[in-house]
Amino acid sequence: MTGIKRMSKSKKKWVLILGILIVVVAATVLIVRFRGTKDRVEAGNAKNNTIQLAKMDLTDSISATGTLSSADSKTVSAALGDITVKKVLVSVGDTVAKGDSLVRFDKSDLEDALEDARDNLSDTKSSADREVSNASSQLSDAQENYSAEKTKASKEVAAAKASLAAAKKSVKKIQNQIQSASAQEKTALQQQLKEAQEKQEQAQNTYDTAVSNQSSSNRQNKSSIETAQSALETAKSNRTKNVKEAQKQVDEAQANLDACAITAPIAGVVTSVGVSEGDSYSGGTIATIEDISNFCVTTTVDEYDISKVEVGQKVVVLTEATDETEWEGEISFIAPSTSATADTTASTAGQSGEGNSSSSTGDGYEVRITLNSTDDTRLKLGMTAKCSIILEEANDVWAVPYDAVTKNREGSYITVLDEDTSEEKQISVTTGMETDYYIAVEGSDLTEGMQVVIPGDEITTSTDDSDSKEDKGMSGFGMGGDMGGRSGKMDQGGRDSGGNAGGAPGGGMSGGAPGGN
């Protein structure tokens, strides 16, 4: 019995030890499972970040960098040759008004040439007038001679015609007498008839001669008139030609003299002077004047973006010299081909992620931007200007990161955290303008400051690979990843919310998306 009792106590001891071991193992399993579940929950929570809903200004734009130049620049030259520069009246940097004299030439030779040309013109007019007058007199004489000769010939023809008629009448009379006369009387009448017929023949010859002479005289006199008329027309033509040529010489001499008056065609600043006192000028640039009250920017836009650019589009311009001052302008010129960009010094914005950066390669299209108001004396020709070509704007709108909007068959919605329970709920929205990172949303349930959930990347967790989990958690939204590369004004102030001040205004986001709460 005693042995049996000892066996029972030993058995109970092992049973107790076994039970304790079972409890420990079960507790360990539960702890491991609890930790795995917690890790998965934490990993699931790490997928999502939130931002506070707020209204902001959105801008979609193309960024480019160009060179500040004058909107109106004039190169002054003169159509003169071999003339001495007497005095240069301006220097580089001088401000001039329109009409101000720039240079004086030695005009003595040109003044002499003008006087000679005027004298020649006067002599040419006098000589030509005399020739025209003589030709006119000859024509008048020919016309008078024709009239007199015509009257004389007409009278001779009329007289001859009358004599012929009388001779014919006499012949007819004698012929009638012969018919009724006796034989003795007929002999005498026959003699009379013969004499009358001879007179008729003479009268006929005289008449024919008078008619012929009249025709010949008229023909000759008409020819003389035509010759005189031709001579008069030639004299008049020569007068016109010679006087015109002489007047041309006067005009050229006057133009050469007038060309010596070199004045500023526009108001502005003298940026170059190409002559010096004592030079012999034979053409070329005398001075260059640029209007610094009106600036423009010449830049290039690459082939990918040029189809989005139109004349009249708004542009915001920044320069380093004017710090944060933004200048408004508009597109005033777009080159029809890439060949027009050869002389530009434009370059694009760097890798700042601000807007759609245009390319400055030879494949770009030249674009000119005229600034609307440039009365700031800090602006200088040749400065580098960073431009943001505005494609689309939306002011004071609700906006969330693009990834915060989910679309399904019923429409679009965003996920927010309930203010009281912190549980997720969906709110239907209507989407609007998009930038590369933000999208405008509208909805009756949207309120300032509500927490909008931004879905992160999917994360696979493992209880035995904590290092891998940490690395993947760091790759989620808001952990410093670069969200730039497309255009859009990111914050309420219209500036780059990524903290990058080196790019064009209104550009895309740089430096990473805002982190989650």
Side-chain angles (χ1 to χ4, degrees), residues 270-448:
V270 178
T271 57
S272 72
V273 176
V275 294
S276 301
E277 185 174 332
D279 286 351
S280 179
Y281 178 79
S282 296
T285 300
I286 295 173
T288 301
I289 301 173
E290 299 194 53
D291 179 9
I292 60 172
S293 64
N294 294 287
F295 287 96
C296 69
V297 178
T298 302
T299 184
T300 56
V301 175
D302 65 19
E303 183 176 350
Y304 177 80
D305 290 323
I306 193 62
S307 61
K308 306 171 188 175
V309 179
E310 299 177 356
V311 171
Q313 277 179 330
K314 177 182 174 182
V315 182
V316 177
V317 178
L318 284 174
T319 68
E320 293 183 0
T322 54
D323 298 325
E324 299 301 314
T325 303
E326 293 185 353
W327 304 96
E328 278 198 9
E330 64 178 35
I331 303 295
S332 57
F333 170 78
I334 302 172
S337 65
T338 57
S339 61
T341 66
D343 296 332
T344 65
T345 58
S347 61
T348 62
Q351 301 299 319
S352 63
E354 292 201 345
N356 299 316
S357 296
S358 66
S359 173
S360 63
T361 66
D363 295 333
Y365 290 78
E366 180 180 299
V367 173
R368 186 168 299 167
I369 301 160
T370 300
L371 274 62
N372 297 335
S373 176
T374 54
D375 56 355
D376 195 320
T377 57
R378 294 175 297 171
L379 293 178
K380 303 294 181 182
L381 299 173
M383 284 183 173
T384 299
K386 297 176 181 179
C387 309
S388 183
I389 303 171
I390 307 303
L391 304 179
E392 186 179 5
E393 290 182 298
N395 297 324
D396 196 29
V397 295
W398 299 116
V400 296
Y402 188 83
D403 291 338
V405 179
T406 303
K407 296 183 179 180
N408 56 24
R409 294 181 179 179
E410 297 178 356
S412 300
Y413 66 87
I414 61 173
T415 301
V416 301
L417 296 181
D418 187 275
E419 184 177 355
D420 297 325
T421 65
S422 296
E423 294 181 356
E424 295 183 356
K425 64 177 181 179
Q426 297 176 353
I427 296 180
S428 296
V429 295
T430 301
T431 58
M433 173 186 165
E434 298 179 14
T435 68
D436 291 301
Y437 182 67
Y438 280 92
I439 182 171
V441 293
E442 294 181 2
S444 58
D445 296 330
L446 300 179
T447 59
E448 182 80 22

Side-chain angles (χ1 to χ4, degrees), residues 50-63:
T50 62
I51 64 167
Q52 289 186 349
L53 182 64
K55 288 190 174 182
M56 60 181 69
D57 298 335
L58 299 183
T59 301
D60 189 14
S61 63
I62 297 172
S63 297

Side-chain angles (χ1 to χ4, degrees), residues 23-285:
V23 171
V24 171
V25 171
T28 301
V29 171
L30 290 175
I31 290 172
V32 171
R33 288 184 178 179
F34 175 76
R35 283 188 175 181
T37 302
K38 183 179 179 181
D39 288 341
R40 285 191 293 271
V41 171
E42 289 177 351
N45 290 337
K47 295 177 185 178
N48 298 328
N49 289 271
T50 62
I51 64 167
Q52 289 186 349
L53 182 64
K55 288 190 174 182
M56 60 181 69
D57 298 335
L58 299 183
T59 301
D60 189 14
S61 63
I62 297 172
S63 297
T65 302
T67 302
L68 199 64
S69 60
S70 173
D72 190 7
S73 177
K74 299 293 184 182
T75 298
V76 183
S77 60
L80 296 171
D82 296 329
I83 186 170
T84 302
V85 178
K86 193 172 184 179
K87 188 174 183 180
V88 179
L89 304 176
V90 295
S91 301
V92 173
D94 288 351
T95 299
V96 295
K98 182 178 181 181
D100 285 353
S101 294
L102 304 178
V103 67
R104 289 180 188 154
F105 290 108
D106 184 354
K107 301 184 292 183
S108 57
D109 290 342
L110 296 179
E111 290 172 341
D112 291 342
L114 177 59
E115 185 176 356
D116 292 342
R118 286 174 174 171
D119 291 341
N120 180 62
L121 175 62
S122 179
D123 293 342
T124 300
K125 285 183 176 179
S126 297
S127 177
D129 288 343
R130 284 195 300 270
E131 291 181 2
V132 170
S133 179
N134 291 336
S136 180
S137 296
Q138 291 177 0
L139 175 60
S140 179
D141 292 344
Q143 290 173 336
E144 290 177 359
N145 184 63
Y146 170 70
S147 179
E149 292 290 335
K150 183 178 181 181
T151 300
K152 180 181 177 182
S154 296
K155 289 180 179 180
E156 290 177 354
V157 169
K161 186 176 181 180
S163 296
L164 177 60
K168 288 180 178 181
K169 185 177 181 181
S170 176
V171 170
K172 185 66 175 177
K173 181 180 179 182
I174 294 172
Q175 288 175 343
N176 291 335
Q177 290 176 348
I178 290 175
Q179 291 178 358
S180 59
S182 61
Q184 186 176 358
E185 292 176 340
K186 285 183 178 179
T187 301
L189 290 173
Q190 285 292 345
Q191 184 61 35
Q192 293 179 5
L193 177 60
K194 181 178 179 181
E195 294 176 354
Q197 287 176 340
E198 289 177 354
K199 290 181 179 180
Q200 179 181 345
E201 184 177 354
Q202 291 175 354
Q204 183 66 52
N205 291 336
T206 301
Y207 174 75
D208 291 342
T209 300
V211 171
S212 176
N213 290 339
Q214 181 188 43
S215 177
S216 176
S217 176
N218 288 342
R219 185 169 57 252
Q220 290 177 358
N221 290 330
K222 285 181 179 179
S223 177
S224 297
I225 290 174
E226 291 174 356
T227 300
Q229 286 177 333
S230 178
L232 178 59
E233 291 173 359
T234 299
K236 288 181 178 180
S237 176
N238 289 339
R239 178 178 64 179
T240 300
K241 178 182 177 180
N242 294 337
V243 170
K244 183 178 180 179
E245 182 63 29
Q247 183 64 55
K248 181 181 179 181
Q249 293 176 2
V250 172
D251 293 342
E252 289 177 351
Q254 184 66 60
N256 289 337
L257 191 58
D258 293 342
C260 291
I262 307 301
T263 59
I266 60 172
V269 171
V270 178
T271 57
S272 72
V273 176
V275 294
S276 301
E277 185 174 332
D279 286 351
S280 179
Y281 178 79
S282 296
T285 300

